[in-house]
Amino acid sequence: MNHLSHRLLRPLAVLCLLVMSFAANAQTHTPKYVALPNSNGYYEYLPQGYNPAGSETYPLIVFIHGVGELGNGDPSNLPRVLVTGLPAYIQWGRFPSSFNVNGQTHKFIVISPQFIGWPSPENVHSMIAYLKNTYRVNPNRIYVTGLSMGGGATWDYASVYANEPAAILPIAGASWPDRTRARNIAAGNIPIWALHNVGDPTVPVAYTNDYVSIINEPPASNPQAIKTIFNSGSHDAWSTAYNPDYRENGMNVYEWMLQYQKGTPPPNGNQPPVANAGPDQNIIFPTTSVQLNGSGTDPDGTISTYKWSKISGPDQFTINNINVANPVISNMAAGDYTFRLLVSDSRGGQAYDDVKIKVTAAIPGKVEAESFNTAQGVNVEGSADAGGGWNVGFIDNGDWMDYEVQINTAGTYNMNVRIATLATNAGFQVKNSSGAVLATFNVPFTGGWQSYHTITQPITLPQGRHTLRIVSTRADGWNFNWMDFVGGATPPPNQAPTVNAGTDQTITLPIATAQLSGTANDPDGTIASYSWSKVSGPDAFGLSSTSIASPVLSGLIAGTYTFRLTVTDNRGATATDDVVITVNPLISTPPPPSGSGVRIQAENWTAMKGVGTEGTSDAGGGLSVGWIDNTDWMDYSVNLSQAGTYTVSFRVATPATSAQLKLLNAAGTTLATVNVPNTGWWQTWQTATATVTLPAGQQTLRVLSSSADAWNFNWFELAAGGTGGTPPNQLPTV
């Protein structure tokens, strides 16, 4: 199963053009280069009349950009933030200097950070903490908004720091609507206005619909979350949303934000209670129960009710009474739990506090996949495996999960891993905290994403508390339900296999096939798999099989190929070896008689500078070489058995009038200069000729562009004798 991926990167030239065009009308946007978690810079917009030494405080908007604007925050990357969304309206001079809401005038501080990678809730919280200490921010009027990736980061941030923002505005938010996150947001009573396009092809509109639906389930957020779904099939819902002229119920998004602030006394004058969920706790298997130590106080009344709920963590647990301050939680699984205590006072006021319970898994024993402490790129979903519960999915190459474990006894264990996949080339490694590989697993095809098999590898572990990282090492995805460490006999260390990719080979066209002859041996087991891959060389080739020792290569063209054979033994150890296949172009030997020639395709160079290939409409089709600028060149290897005078014919096309090429030898001596005729267009072809004197033997000829005008090149031909013109009898092409 695959991640949601965004294809929002913009060409740098367009970015620079837009930024330059904005400059004439821009309001004051000041770049700030400050090292903060996951960010090295941001843009600052301050209200008119802002005085850092004054006493007035201002509402703060923190804008989080999309994935296409990620960057390292330096002067060349930071301007990406200005291209779209709220910063663009400021840059265009279209952001109002003040807003009047409920008879009061407000002016915003707007901060637009550039994040290096996808921002976490902690990254956003750290940014806000820095801004509160740096600017004259009204702490009761902090608003967070973002688009696409930034909209997802806004959802995620609010689910962890629900007490911080006065309101949030996620637009096309790229965050999976997880029920735990949504209910955390609901419990925080955060005002929410979410906007999306109904036909969004990048982030499904269901993300916004589901978040709002879950948040508004009883007991619903107060006020309830609202949403606007535009009738559009694009991803861009933000150009409309951030436009100050766009209004619903008479308000734009900025006026809607200013309706809300934290810390406003309730209408009846009741002071809210204070909740305390008690200190965080850590336990280690086989201990699976804890006593919670919650309490509540009320400054102007009494606590009427207590209510405990699980905010995050494994599903497995038992709580003896959710309506007392100090319940007992038992039967917990390994993982990180968060429990929330909600207290209500006698006049209806409420408050909550969270407590974290870490249950460290013990080895030997079973560890559920979803009980990771930290992870990158994965998500959990319901499992159809025996026992139900959750599995980890959406695992792509490079994704990982960290598990903190208590290893009771040092030794070698059988590590049994429960996996499922529809892929045929999935795999992962187990690493320790220093990055050393402890075990390598090949994940077999199981027949379905919820069709589970158990695979096993030995793993040697030291005693004590350690972190194990499961990291996916191949492009194919897989699902993961649990891992079980079972003590057993210690197998001997695995000896790596040996591999030989065979002898290097040289062939000359028109022969275009070669037999690879790989061999392998394993001193203490068997070879489980062979895998051939191309390391370097032309793209044109065919391989009869990538998974046998001695496949056949076909369809080769002139050039030098390197192929790699990787073998894996039955215990996961690998070895590699390379073989080089050199393919010489076809050159007639001895030289053809006068009036006949041999053709060399332009794309069959042995080396080049600055050029590329494209399809040609010339007779015979195939590829031609284009993008030829002044001083670009192509080298061709030829082998002549006899010195003499040759007619060289170049097949060229150009709409230019002053194009020129030169033919040079390996010493850089010019052998011929050819004026390329104006043929009328890039794919309208003519033949230009020259006479050259060439020595016998293997040699390199260089075709060099020697003018500012560009031209295209399809082939050249060598014919014995200095007769000029196109030879009437053409030999087969190379």
Side-chain angles (χ1 to χ4, degrees):
M1 304 186 74
N2 296 318
H3 292 300
L4 168 72
S5 61
H6 305 291
R7 304 188 183 275
L8 307 177
L9 295 177
R10 298 162 175 82
L12 184 58
V14 175
L15 169 71
C16 296
L17 179 62
L18 287 170
V19 172
M20 291 172 61
S21 68
F22 298 162
N25 298 318
Q27 294 172 290
T28 302
H29 244 153
T30 305
K32 297 290 184 178
Y33 305 106
V34 179
L36 294 168
N38 197 22
S39 178
N40 291 320
Y42 62 87
Y43 276 102
E44 164 199 273
Y45 168 81
L46 298 178
Q48 295 176 3
Y50 178 87
N51 181 0
S55 59
E56 184 178 2
T57 61
Y58 299 84
L60 167 68
I61 297 178
V62 177
F63 168 81
I64 308 174
H65 57 76
V67 73
E69 291 75 62
L70 290 170
N72 61 15
D74 64 19
S76 64
N77 280 275
L78 190 58
R80 295 178 185 174
V81 174
L82 303 179
V83 172
T84 191
L86 173 54
Y89 279 100
I90 294 175
Q91 195 71 1
W92 295 333
R94 294 184 57 191
F95 186 72
S97 59
S98 65
F99 299 83
N100 189 282
V101 176
N102 295 330
Q104 292 185 322
T105 299
H106 303 273
K107 300 178 181 179
F108 281 108
I109 299 170
V110 181
I111 301 297
S112 304
Q114 184 176 53
F115 288 101
I116 300 167
W118 197 294
S120 68
E122 291 74 20
N123 295 154
V124 180
H125 173 68
S126 296
M127 176 67 66
I128 291 173
Y130 169 82
L131 298 175
K132 289 164 66 176
N133 289 329
T134 306
Y135 298 91
R136 303 201 64 80
V137 173
N138 182 339
N140 294 323
R141 290 190 177 274
I142 296 173
Y143 310 96
V144 180
T145 183
L147 60 89
S148 192
M149 178 196 77
T154 300
W155 284 121
D156 295 343
Y157 157 77
S159 73
V160 178
Y161 296 98
N163 285 330
E164 192 163 63
I168 63 170
L169 189 90
I171 302 175
S175 172
W176 178 261
D178 173 78
R179 174 168 292 275
T180 296
R181 286 196 293 266
R183 294 311 300 166
N184 288 353
I185 295 170
N189 294 317
I190 308 171
I192 300 163
W193 186 1
L195 302 98
H196 215 126
N197 286 338
V198 68
D200 190 328
T202 305
V203 180
V205 70
Y207 283 22
T208 291
N209 289 332
D210 290 350
Y211 255 123
V212 171
S213 295
I214 298 170
I215 289 168
N216 288 340
E217 291 176 1
S221 175
N222 184 17
Q224 289 201 341
I226 61 174
K227 65 182 179 181
T228 296
I229 308 299
F230 298 117
N231 185 23
S232 170
S234 76
H235 184 41
D236 178 6
W238 46 88
S239 293
T240 300
Y242 287 121
N243 188 339
D245 296 331
Y246 174 75
R247 282 180 159 79
E248 289 190 31
N249 299 320
M251 291 181 293
N252 59 34
V253 295
Y254 314 101
E255 294 160 338
W256 173 85
M257 292 178 188
L258 289 167
Q259 296 179 99
Y260 302 104
Q261 61 177 317
K262 305 293 287 185
T264 302
N268 61 7
N270 182 33
Q271 297 184 52
V274 176
N276 186 343
D280 295 343
Q281 300 187 50
N282 296 324
I283 61 175
I284 300 174
F285 261 71
T287 301
T288 61
S289 63
V290 293
Q291 172 94 46
L292 298 180
N293 297 296
S295 62
T297 57
D298 186 55
D300 60 351
T302 58
I303 300 298
S304 59
T305 63
Y306 297 89
K307 184 177 182 180
W308 287 94
S309 60
K310 190 200 76 170
I311 300 302
S312 63
D315 284 343
Q316 180 179 318
F317 73 95
T318 301
I319 185 167
N320 66 338
N321 191 336
I322 64 171
N323 299 124
V324 297
N326 302 303
V328 174
I329 299 179
S330 58
N331 191 34
M332 288 187 289
D336 291 342
Y337 292 83
T338 299
F339 292 95
R340 174 165 294 171
L341 173 61
L342 176 70
V343 300
S344 301
D345 67 18
S346 53
R347 297 170 65 187
Q350 292 186 326
Y352 70 86
D353 188 35
D354 295 342
V355 61
K356 297 182 183 298
I357 309 295
K358 177 186 288 292
V359 184
T360 300
I363 292 177
K366 178 183 285 189
V367 181
E368 295 292 338
E370 70 273 16
S371 68
F372 51 75
N373 299 97
T374 56
Q376 173 182 285
V378 304
N379 210 332
V380 297
E381 61 183 352
S383 174
D385 198 10
W390 301 93
N391 65 262
V392 173
F394 310 91
I395 305 172
D396 296 326
N397 190 24
D399 291 349
W400 51 263
M401 298 140 279
D402 281 353
Y403 299 86
E404 186 175 331
V405 295
Q406 175 68 35
I407 302 165
N408 294 330
T409 305
T412 299
Y413 297 84
N414 287 325
M415 181 177 175
N416 302 314
V417 184
R418 192 71 167 163
I419 54 87
T421 184
L422 273 172
T424 57
N425 191 35
F428 64 90
Q429 291 180 332
V430 185
K431 298 183 178 182
N432 62 19
S433 56
S434 66
V437 177
L438 305 179
T440 298
F441 285 81
N442 297 313
V443 177
F445 171 84
T446 68
W449 294 111
Q450 291 295 325
S451 178
Y452 282 90
H453 291 192
T454 302
I455 57 178
T456 303
Q457 285 288 339
I459 185 170
T460 300
L461 301 172
Q463 187 176 19
R465 183 173 293 194
H466 298 277
T467 296
L468 299 180
R469 171 166 290 185
I470 309 296
V471 57
S472 183
T473 54
R474 298 179 191 167
D476 284 352
W478 50 288
N479 284 357
F480 174 29
N481 193 16
W482 49 255
M483 51 186 169
D484 191 13
F485 297 84
V486 180
T490 301
N494 186 24
Q495 300 182 50
T498 58
V499 59
N500 186 339
T503 304
D504 294 346
Q505 302 180 51
T506 299
I507 61 175
T508 300
L509 295 170
I511 298 173
T513 62
Q515 173 83 54
L516 298 177
S517 301
T519 59
N521 179 63
D522 186 52
D524 61 349
T526 59
I527 300 299
S529 66
Y530 297 86
S531 179
W532 283 97
S533 61
K534 189 195 78 171
V535 177
S536 62
D539 288 336
F541 71 94
L543 196 58
S544 63
S545 174
T546 62
S547 57
I548 62 175
S550 301
V552 175
L553 288 167
S554 61
L556 301 172
I557 65 173
T560 301
Y561 296 81
T562 300
F563 291 93
R564 176 165 296 166
L565 175 58
T566 301
V567 299
T568 304
D569 70 14
N570 60 317
R571 293 170 65 187
T574 62
T576 63
D577 190 37
D578 295 345
V579 63
V580 176
I581 309 295
T582 302
V583 184
N584 291 327
L586 173 64
I587 295 294
S588 179
T589 304
S594 179
S596 64
V598 63
R599 181 176 297 179
I600 301 173
Q601 295 295 328
E603 68 269 20
N604 289 345
W605 62 67
T606 57
M608 65 83 176
K609 169 185 170 289
V611 304
T613 61
E614 61 183 351
T616 180
S617 61
D618 198 9
L623 297 176
S624 62
V625 173
W627 294 276
I628 306 173
D629 299 320
N630 193 20
T631 74
D632 289 348
W633 52 262
M634 297 140 281
D635 282 352
Y636 300 91
S637 178
V638 301
N639 186 9
L640 301 177
S641 63
Q642 181 177 323
T645 301
Y646 292 82
T647 296
V648 58
S649 303
F650 297 92
R651 190 67 167 169
V652 291
T654 182
T657 57
S658 300
Q660 187 185 78
L661 67 89
K662 291 184 178 182
L663 186 67
L664 287 70
N665 63 18
T669 302
T670 299
L671 305 176
T673 300
V674 177
N675 292 321
V676 178
N678 180 343
T679 68
W681 194 240
W682 298 109
Q683 289 293 325
T684 302
W685 298 89
Q686 293 182 23
T687 304
T689 64
T691 300
V692 296
T693 301
L694 298 173
Q698 188 77 36
Q699 55 197 287
T700 296
L701 299 180
R702 173 168 291 182
V703 179
L704 169 73
S705 180
S706 53
S707 66
D709 283 352
W711 48 285
N712 284 358
F713 179 28
N714 194 15
W715 47 257
F716 72 99
E717 291 180 342
L718 290 171
T723 59
T726 302
N729 181 26
Q730 298 179 10
L731 296 184
T733 60
V734 178

